[in-house]
């Protein structure tokens, strides 16, 4: 494992020579910028603004830009003369409980390796002390021209060090908090708990980068001269306000289906099925539209809502054994503001009832004449 820094851990009067190595590796696929017309590489050149010509790296130094725009040259000798005691030392300043370290502070991870055989004993001493105390060490060290804050902890049989952001580098979370006051109901929390329980635990070693694999497959296909396989992604309504309860219920049901737990359901889901309401992710706007159509129907009697409301009204008129007035009144009570639909339904029911009552009158008159 290649080291990027050599120094020592200062543990009181104990000095542990160590080497620093990256504990993580970046597998992201990088791309080159090219000229679309001919595929040529696009490169960046460092050009001096005064002479307007390219400058080699050997002639490039550091400078600090002042508030008025002027540049103050800073040499390597200036930086080397600064009193920085942690230049080659990881200076442990305290031992604290790991819970006190906010994950927001954690940065890059490194492995601390022993630098030479004499360092093995004090290295093991610090490692076992950290294990037994179940605490982490807070240290200061210098890396790449600046002093940093670090946290030392034990990973298996190795001491790992995480860079930490200084406390004043962490921005206040209030800047990202929602401005509007939101109330969360207990029923929504219960469904959220059910969803978390259903998703359960996961083996972190089983997780992998699907996007990187897709990019590698696409690049391999282009190299081989074949067409890359494209998978259609399901359409998602971005920025759409959804019915939160229905979304949670649907998520719980989908998670259980993926785990082969189709037979189990929550109490809220059972009530929804008894009422004939499927838990679907539906935008609030569409739900309002459906509710408005069901309530108001069509004022002119020509819309789709009038047709939907006429069906139950006809059933009432045909199945009722009373007079046409009772059928009309029941139709008016059900239709509400859809008066045109109720009138049409009532008139049809009245005609049918009138025809039947007319037949009864004829029968009665014939009986009187025969008598």
């Amino acid at each position: 494992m290649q080291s990027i820094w050599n120094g020592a851990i200062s543990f009181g009067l104990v000095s542990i020579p160590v080497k620093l190595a990256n504990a993580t590796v970046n597998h992201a696929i990088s791309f080159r910028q090219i000229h679309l017309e001919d595929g040529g590489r696009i490169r960046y050149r460092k050009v001096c603004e005064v002479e307007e010509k390219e400058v080699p790296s050997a002639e490039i130094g550091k400078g600090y830009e002042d508030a008025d725009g002027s540049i103050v040259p800073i040499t390597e000798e200036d930086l080397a003369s600064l009193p920085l005691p942690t230049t080659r030392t990881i200076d442990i300043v305290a031992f604290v409980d790991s819970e006190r370290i906010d994950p927001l502070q954690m940065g890059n991870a490194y492995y601390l390796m022993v630098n030479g055989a004499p360092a093995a004993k004090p290295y093991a001493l610090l490692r076992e002390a950290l294990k037994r105390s179940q605490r982490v060490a807070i240290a200061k060290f210098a890396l790449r021209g600046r002093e940093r804050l670090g946290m030392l902890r034990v990973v298996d049989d190795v001491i790992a060090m995480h860079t930490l952001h200084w406390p004043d580098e962490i921005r206040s979370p209030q800047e990202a908090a929602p401005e509007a006051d939101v109330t969360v109901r207990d029923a929504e929390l219960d469904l959220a708990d059910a969803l978390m329980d259903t998703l359960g635990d996961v083996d972190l070693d089983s997780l992998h980068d699907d996007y990187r694999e897709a990019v590698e497959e696409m690049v391999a296909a282009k190299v081989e001269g074949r067409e890359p396989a494209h998978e259609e992604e399901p359409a998602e309504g971005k920025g759409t306000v959804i019915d939160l309860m229905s979304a949670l219920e649907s998520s719980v049901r989908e998670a259980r289906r993926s785990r082969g737990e189709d037979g189990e359901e929550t109490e809220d889901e059972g009530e929804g099925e008894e009422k004939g309401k499927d838990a679907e992710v539906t935008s609030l706007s569409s739900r309002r539209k459906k509710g408005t159509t069901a309530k108001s129907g069509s004022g002119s009697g020509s819309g789709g809502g009038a047709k939907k409301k006429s069906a139950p009204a006809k059933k009432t008129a045909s199945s009722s054994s009373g007079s046409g007035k009772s059928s009309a009144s029941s139709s008016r009570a059900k239709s509400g503001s859809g008066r045109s639909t109720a009138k049409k339904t009532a008139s049809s029911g009245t005609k049918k009832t009138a025809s039947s009552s007319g037949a009864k009158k004829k029968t009665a008159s014939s009986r009187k004449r025969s008598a």
Side-chain angles (χ1 to χ4, degrees):
M1 190 176 293
Q2 184 178 3
S3 63
I4 61 174
W5 180 90
N6 292 332
I9 301 176
S10 176
F11 179 31
L13 297 178
V14 179
S15 181
I16 311 172
V18 292
K19 296 184 295 183
L20 198 67
N22 284 310
T24 60
V25 59
N26 187 5
H27 289 298
I29 298 175
S30 59
F31 298 99
R32 302 292 187 185
Q33 289 187 329
I34 62 171
H35 187 196
L36 294 177
E37 184 176 341
D38 53 20
R41 282 279 305 276
I42 301 297
R43 298 180 182 274
Y44 291 98
R45 291 180 170 86
K46 298 178 181 180
V47 178
C48 175
E49 293 182 352
V50 177
E51 299 178 337
E52 295 184 353
K53 67 176 185 179
E54 187 176 356
V55 180
S57 299
E59 299 179 10
I60 297 177
K62 294 183 176 68
Y64 176 80
E65 185 176 1
D66 203 355
D68 58 359
S70 60
I71 302 296
V72 180
I74 303 295
T75 65
E76 294 297 332
E77 290 76 11
D78 294 333
L79 296 174
S81 63
L82 292 177
L84 189 59
T86 56
T87 302
R88 288 292 173 186
T89 305
I90 300 174
D91 187 14
I92 296 178
V93 297
F95 293 89
V96 300
D97 294 332
S98 59
E99 291 78 8
R100 290 182 54 185
I101 306 301
D102 193 329
L104 285 173
Q105 286 188 260
M106 299 181 67
N108 296 330
Y110 301 94
Y111 288 138
L112 292 172
M113 306 180 296
V114 293
N115 191 6
K121 180 69 175 183
Y123 184 96
L125 172 64
L126 177 59
R127 181 190 64 199
E128 297 304 317
L130 289 172
K131 281 184 179 181
R132 190 168 69 172
S133 66
Q134 296 183 349
R135 289 184 291 179
V136 297
I138 303 300
K140 295 170 67 176
F141 67 102
L143 181 65
R144 298 190 177 104
R146 54 171 294 196
E147 189 172 50
R148 303 169 187 264
L149 194 63
M151 179 191 73
L152 278 63
R153 68 185 184 96
V154 178
V155 178
D156 293 336
D157 291 330
V158 177
I159 299 176
M161 182 174 68
H162 299 265
T163 58
L164 298 178
H165 294 286
W166 296 99
D168 59 355
E169 293 179 334
I170 305 299
R171 300 174 64 181
S172 172
Q174 296 302 325
E175 300 178 12
E179 296 181 358
D181 293 333
V182 179
T183 302
V184 180
R185 296 180 296 167
D186 290 339
E188 294 169 339
L189 283 174
D190 293 340
L191 280 173
D193 290 339
L195 177 58
M196 289 190 291
D197 293 339
T198 304
L199 292 177
D201 202 351
V202 65
D203 181 10
L204 295 179
D205 293 334
S206 66
L207 302 178
H208 59 278
D209 189 348
D210 294 324
Y211 179 77
R212 179 173 61 88
E213 292 180 357
V215 172
E216 290 175 348
E217 171 61 26
M218 180 264 294
V219 172
K222 285 184 173 291
V223 171
E224 297 171 3
R226 55 184 174 87
E227 188 67 21
H230 297 285
E231 295 184 2
E232 295 184 0
E233 293 290 337
E236 296 181 359
K238 295 183 179 179
T240 304
V241 179
I242 62 173
D243 186 330
L244 184 57
M245 288 293 291
S246 296
L248 288 170
E249 291 174 0
S250 181
S251 300
V252 172
R253 185 158 44 249
E254 182 63 28
R256 285 179 173 168
R257 186 182 297 111
S258 64
R259 288 176 172 266
E261 302 174 2
D262 296 341
E264 298 182 11
E265 63 180 15
T266 61
E267 183 178 352
D268 293 336
E269 289 177 328
E271 291 176 358
E273 292 176 358
E274 290 177 0
K275 295 177 182 178
K277 295 180 180 179
D278 293 332
E280 296 178 352
V281 180
T282 309
S283 63
L284 295 178
S285 58
S286 62
R287 288 170 65 89
R288 291 193 190 100
K289 289 179 181 178
K290 291 179 181 178
T292 305
T293 306
K295 288 181 179 179
S296 61
S298 174
S300 61
S302 60
K307 294 180 181 180
K308 291 182 180 179
K309 293 300 290 183
S310 62
K314 288 180 180 180
K315 288 182 180 179
T316 305
S318 60
S319 60
S320 176
S321 59
S323 62
K325 293 181 179 180
S326 61
S327 301
S329 60
S330 61
S331 301
R332 292 191 188 98
K334 291 185 177 181
S335 61
S337 61
R339 295 179 180 177
S340 59
T341 307
K343 287 180 180 180
K344 287 185 177 181
T345 309
S347 61
S348 61
T350 305
K351 288 180 181 181
K352 291 182 180 180
T353 309
S355 60
S356 60
S357 60
K360 290 180 180 179
K361 288 181 180 180
K362 289 181 181 181
T363 306
S365 59
S366 61
R367 288 180 180 175
K368 287 181 180 180
R369 288 177 183 175
S370 61

